[in-house]
């Protein structure tokens, strides 16, 4: 299936809503039955708009229930350890600055001389937060071989934020810590940290925008080029390829519930066609919340042998929710751009912290190097203002430069306090990498909710390792079939559209779910987020869904008995 996506005002508004995670203004709703590409786009955009409307309906639902919104992916938990540590480190860093100069509310810069001794003296091992900071610093020094003074200066200057990020792309010791974190959580034992470069960004959203912009700007992706999307996928990602007039044509590589949301062999084979320039996936996926199986990863390797210039862009934000997760980057490090975000696992969506990671030896640099001389000369002229050897400027540096229109490269980069917070979050994991209690707890939490929901719905939970259980896609038709049989399913399709069903669920029962086809999931599917409500709420959601379905069934029985009597 091919889709061409056009820029519309609604597209921009929706993208902003979804990426920003803010409450949505009212925009037009979508047609439900559509076939043309443009209508299809409207349908996709509709997913988030419709949910916004349903939120309103749910607030004053007819039953007077407490609204239950399982639409959002924003978690309802946070990580406390790194936040306490951030506050403590900030306090230490401010006192360090006051040693340099202190008058009223004004202080100077932190000073390296003696900082190690002062840190050791200030940290109290009897205090849990201090002990964590001691452990984190010891780990960096002992395991990663860092110089303690250099580390403390990077952390204290960084948290104070009194210098521009330098180097712009990533603070040096931070890059080592982030590499270590990615390797420990996502590579499943493959050692790539020494050959991977990292660019911290304002969340995964910014990472995606930067990547599409720079691939296009560097003429690696050109108007008319085909890119493949692993669908169903996070709605805004259906739109990015064309929202900025990139003019890319998207091809779906779809997965279905029949395959447990893994990508079937024939679908994956589409990528063997060298006219497919890039493959874009969320892994584990959103909305289906499934990671690629080992067999699919193996097949992907063979696909790339046939299409060696394929650029793979993988968004692994949900990776830690799958045990022994294996990122595509660890299987195809030279073809893959990895995006990670701290938003979900650590309850940090407001921080805007994520990153792009790429191998030093990667297909994008090779493609840029192979551009026609004229293109290379034009690009060199642009990057010349910030690079002494612009032809040699690696793509990851171009990403950083492009993020500030090249000219402001020297003031680009993620804010240093944000980088330090990423260090601290990463270190909560790294000091206990094999058995990280926080990660285990996050998995157990969504698992408990998932099982409670499936049980209450009378559906079989899928307990395969690939299931991240952060969301679940529920086929409403399947639910109805189980409860009332096929005839009723057929009647429901005619009488009550998917959108009517979701609207009724909000209006009558106060429950908000997300519209599956908006993610390119099949008709009849809804996405339920397991991240943002408590276990009992999911049982209650199932009960209310049952209540509404019973109401429909009563209507159906009435109609069929009337028809029989006539
Ligand atoms: C929630 C989510 C993210 C996180 O984005 P941030 O901008 O880092 O908050 C990234 N990708 C997908 C698919 C998501 O669902």
């Amino acid at each position: 299936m091919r889709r061409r996506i056009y820029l519309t005002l609604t597209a921009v508004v929706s993208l902003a809503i979804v990426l920003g995670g803010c409450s949505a203004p009212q925009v037009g709703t979508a047609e439900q039955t559509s076939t043309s590409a443009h209508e299809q786009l409207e349908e996709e955009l509709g997913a988030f708009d419709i949910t916004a409307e349903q939120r309103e309906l749910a607030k004053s639902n007819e039953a007077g229930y407490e609204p239950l919104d399982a639409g959002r992916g924003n978690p309802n938990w946070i990580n406390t350890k790194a936040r306490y540590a951030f506050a403590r480190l900030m306090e230490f860093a401010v006192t360090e600055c006051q040693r340099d100069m202190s008058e009223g509310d004004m202080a100077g810069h932190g000073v390296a001389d003696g900082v190690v001794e002062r840190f050791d003296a200030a940290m109290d091992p009897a205090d849990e937060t201090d002990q964590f900071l001691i452990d984190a610093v010891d780990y960096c020094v002992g395991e990663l071989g860092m110089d303690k003074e250099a580390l403390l200066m990077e952390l204290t200057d960084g948290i104070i934020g009194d210098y521009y990020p330098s180097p712009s792309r990533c603070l040096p010791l931070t890059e080592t810590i982030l590499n270590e974190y990615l390797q420990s959580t996502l590579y499943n034992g493959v050692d790539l940290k020494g050959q991977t470069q990292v660019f911290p960004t304002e969340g995964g959203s910014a990472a995606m925008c930067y990547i599409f912009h720079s691939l296009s700007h560097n003429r690696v992706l050109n108007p008319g080029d085909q890119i493949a999307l692993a669908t169903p996928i996070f709605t805004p990602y259906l739109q990015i390829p064309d929202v900025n007039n990139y003019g890319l044509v998207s091809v779906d590589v779809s997965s279905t519930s029949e395959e447990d949301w893994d990508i079937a062999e024939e679908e994956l084979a589409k990528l063997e066609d060298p006219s497919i320039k890039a493959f874009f996936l969320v892994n584990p996926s959103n909305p289906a919340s499934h990671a690629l199986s080992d067999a699919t990863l193996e097949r992907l390797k063979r696909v790339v042998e046939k299409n060696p210039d394929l650029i793979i862009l993988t968004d692994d934000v949900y990776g830690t929710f799958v045990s022994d997760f294996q990122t595509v980057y660890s299987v195809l490090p030279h073809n893959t751009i990895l995006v990670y975000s701290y938003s979900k696992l650590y309850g940090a969506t407001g921080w805007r912290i994520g990153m792009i990671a790429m191998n030093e030896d990667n297909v994008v640099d090779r493609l840029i190097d192979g551009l026609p001389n004229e293109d290379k000369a034009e690009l060199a002229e642009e990057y010349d203002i910030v690079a002494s050897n612009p032809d040699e400027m690696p793509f990851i540096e171009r990403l950083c430069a492009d993020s500030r229109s090249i000219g402001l490269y020297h003031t680009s980069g993620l804010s240093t306090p944000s980088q330090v917070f990423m260090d601290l979050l990463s270190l909560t994991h790294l000091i206990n990498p094999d058995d990280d209690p926080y990660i285990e707890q996050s998995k157990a939490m969504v698992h408990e909710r998932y099982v409670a929901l499936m049980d209450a719905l009378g559906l079989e939970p899928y307990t395969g390792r690939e299931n991240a259980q952060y969301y679940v896609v529920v086929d409403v038709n399947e639910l109805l079939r189980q409860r009332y049989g096929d005839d009723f399913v057929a009647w429901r399709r005619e009488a009550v559209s998917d959108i009517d069903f979701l609207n009724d669920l909000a209006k009558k029962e106060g429950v908000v779910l997300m519209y599956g086809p908006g993610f390119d999931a099949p008709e009849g599917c809804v996405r339920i987020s397991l991240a943002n409500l408590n276990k009992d709420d999911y049982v209650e959601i199932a009960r209310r869904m049952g209540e509404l379905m019973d109401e429909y069934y009563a209507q159906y029985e009435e109609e069929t008995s009337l028809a029989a009597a006539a």
Side-chain angles (χ1 to χ4, degrees):
M1 173 185 144
R2 276 176 195 212
R3 194 188 316 109
R4 182 122 197 163
I5 300 172
Y6 299 91
L7 176 68
T8 64
L9 179 61
T10 358
V12 175
V13 171
S14 285
L15 191 65
I17 293 163
V18 175
L19 295 180
C22 54
S23 68
Q26 295 292 311
V27 264
T29 56
E31 286 299 309
Q32 203 229 340
T33 48
S34 61
T35 43
S36 81
H38 193 77
E39 279 172 319
Q40 169 132 21
L41 169 66
E42 300 235 308
E43 188 171 293
E44 284 155 6
L45 293 173
F48 283 88
D49 307 338
I50 293 160
T51 311
E53 242 170 68
Q54 286 160 354
R55 262 179 204 123
E56 284 308 309
L57 290 172
K59 272 187 205 157
S60 46
N61 66 82
E62 291 167 7
Y65 290 145
E66 181 205 340
L68 291 175
D69 181 353
R72 289 196 190 282
N74 201 116
N76 67 348
W77 65 79
I78 64 155
N79 178 285
T80 55
K81 186 180 275 179
R83 284 173 167 90
Y84 277 129
F86 189 85
R88 180 71 181 105
L89 188 65
M90 177 71 90
E91 190 183 34
F92 173 74
V94 172
T95 39
E96 282 292 296
C97 291
Q98 286 171 328
R99 293 179 47 81
D100 182 39
M101 183 271 275
S102 180
E103 280 181 53
D105 288 343
M106 195 181 275
H109 289 305
V111 183
D113 191 29
V115 69
V116 169
E117 290 72 24
R118 290 190 299 274
F119 176 80
D120 289 343
M123 294 299 129
D124 171 9
D127 180 275
E128 221 176 287
T129 301
D130 286 16
Q131 184 60 56
F132 165 64
L133 285 169
I134 295 168
D135 290 344
V137 168
D138 283 353
Y139 166 84
C140 291
V141 173
E143 299 287 320
L144 306 182
M146 290 179 186
D147 177 73
K148 191 165 176 179
E149 182 179 287
L151 173 68
L152 287 172
M153 288 313 291
E154 183 167 315
L155 293 174
T156 51
D157 282 344
I159 204 164
I160 291 290
D162 51 349
Y163 296 101
Y164 283 105
S166 176
S168 296
R169 173 171 58 78
C170 189
L171 299 177
L173 301 178
T174 294
E175 186 168 24
T176 303
I177 295 168
L178 301 186
N179 258 314
E180 207 65 49
Y181 175 79
L182 291 175
Q183 173 150 322
S184 176
T185 53
L186 307 178
Y187 303 174
N188 199 23
V190 181
D191 182 9
L192 293 164
K193 60 181 189 234
Q195 46 187 279
T196 304
Q197 292 179 303
V198 175
F199 172 27
T201 57
E202 300 84 350
S205 307
M208 285 301 166
C209 295
Y210 294 160
I211 291 166
F212 271 93
H213 172 75
S214 288
L215 287 173
S216 160
H217 179 233
N218 283 279
R219 307 176 193 200
V220 175
L221 291 181
N222 296 296
D225 278 353
Q226 296 193 67
I227 64 156
L229 300 178
T231 58
I233 196 167
F234 187 43
T235 315
Y237 289 178
L238 288 165
Q239 298 147 7
I240 286 182
D242 208 79
V243 161
N244 290 316
N245 287 330
Y246 294 136
L248 301 169
V249 179
S250 58
V251 175
D252 287 4
V253 171
S254 40
S255 57
T256 62
S257 61
E258 288 76 35
E259 304 276 337
D260 290 326
W261 300 109
D262 200 8
I263 303 173
E265 198 164 355
E266 358 23 298
E267 284 293 307
L268 205 67
K270 289 179 181 171
L271 303 173
E272 290 172 4
D273 177 354
S275 61
I276 307 270
K277 302 292 180 199
F279 175 45
F280 181 8
L281 75 160
V282 177
N283 186 35
S285 54
N286 175 4
S289 212
H290 271 247
L292 296 186
S293 66
D294 293 342
T296 300
L297 289 172
E298 252 334 286
R299 278 186 211 123
L300 190 56
K301 247 159 102 175
R302 290 200 294 276
V303 162
V304 170
E305 282 165 18
K306 298 199 173 124
N307 185 5
D309 288 346
L310 184 69
I311 300 164
I312 302 172
L313 175 50
T314 188
D315 173 349
D316 290 3
V317 60
Y318 300 106
T320 57
F321 291 89
V322 164
S323 300
D324 301 321
F325 174 72
Q326 180 111 41
T327 174
V328 172
Y329 176 65
S330 66
V331 177
L332 287 159
H334 307 296
N335 288 76
T336 305
I337 305 173
L338 169 64
V339 169
Y340 180 74
S341 164
Y342 292 84
S343 282
K344 301 290 165 46
L345 175 61
Y346 296 106
T349 49
W351 270 90
R352 316 310 303 126
I353 43 176
M355 58 182 135
I356 300 169
M358 285 179 79
N359 202 273
E360 282 166 1
D361 172 10
N362 69 78
V363 62
V364 183
D365 285 331
R366 184 157 53 74
L367 290 172
I368 291 174
D369 196 49
L371 286 173
N373 283 335
E374 198 183 319
D375 286 336
K376 280 170 80 169
E378 283 174 21
L379 286 169
E381 206 172 310
E382 289 185 42
Y383 291 108
D384 186 49
I385 54 173
V386 293
S388 50
N389 200 351
D391 268 332
E392 306 282 292
M393 191 176 190
F395 182 67
I396 199 159
E397 292 297 341
R398 294 179 190 220
L399 277 169
C400 184
D402 288 354
S403 74
R404 295 296 178 270
S405 304
I406 302 178
L408 295 170
Y409 182 36
H410 298 298
T411 52
S412 66
L414 186 67
S415 87
T416 60
S418 296
Q419 293 192 51
V420 170
F421 191 49
M422 289 166 73
D423 287 334
L424 294 172
L425 288 168
S426 301
L427 286 161
T428 65
H429 167 73
L430 289 169
I431 59 168
N432 211 345
D434 298 325
D435 181 28
D436 177 339
Y438 181 83
I439 288 186
E440 292 310 315
Q441 200 182 341
S442 71
K443 285 192 290 202
M445 175 105 96
V446 292
H447 173 72
E448 184 183 54
R449 296 169 182 183
Y450 171 71
V451 171
L453 174 71
M454 295 301 271
D455 186 52
L457 288 172
L459 295 174
E460 195 63 37
Y462 177 83
T463 50
R465 185 179 63 81
E466 293 86 7
N467 189 356
Q469 305 178 1
Y470 195 94
Y471 304 106
V472 59
V473 173
V474 171
D475 181 348
V476 174
N477 291 325
E478 191 49 42
L479 273 183
L480 296 174
R481 185 173 297 114
Q482 285 186 12
R483 276 173 102 99
Y484 316 100
D486 284 328
D487 290 349
F488 176 66
V489 174
W491 175 88
R492 198 285 305 193
R493 277 209 177 95
E494 286 296 310
V496 189
S497 72
D498 286 355
I499 304 233
D500 290 340
F501 171 72
L502 289 173
N503 278 339
D504 283 349
L505 201 55
K507 189 173 72 172
K508 295 171 188 271
E509 307 282 339
V511 171
V512 179
L513 307 180
M514 278 196 96
Y515 176 53
F519 297 88
D520 239 4
E523 175 260 330
C525 286
V526 294
R527 186 193 81 174
I528 304 177
S529 166
L530 297 159
N532 64 342
L533 295 170
N534 298 320
K535 183 178 150 194
D536 293 347
D537 297 328
Y538 292 100
V539 177
E540 173 63 7
I541 284 175
R543 191 195 66 76
R544 294 188 200 172
M545 286 171 77
E547 197 165 71
L548 179 63
M549 291 188 292
D550 285 345
E551 190 182 316
Y552 289 153
Y553 189 70
Q555 198 183 333
Y556 160 77
E557 282 202 307
E558 195 176 321
E559 281 183 25
T560 43
S561 64
L562 280 177

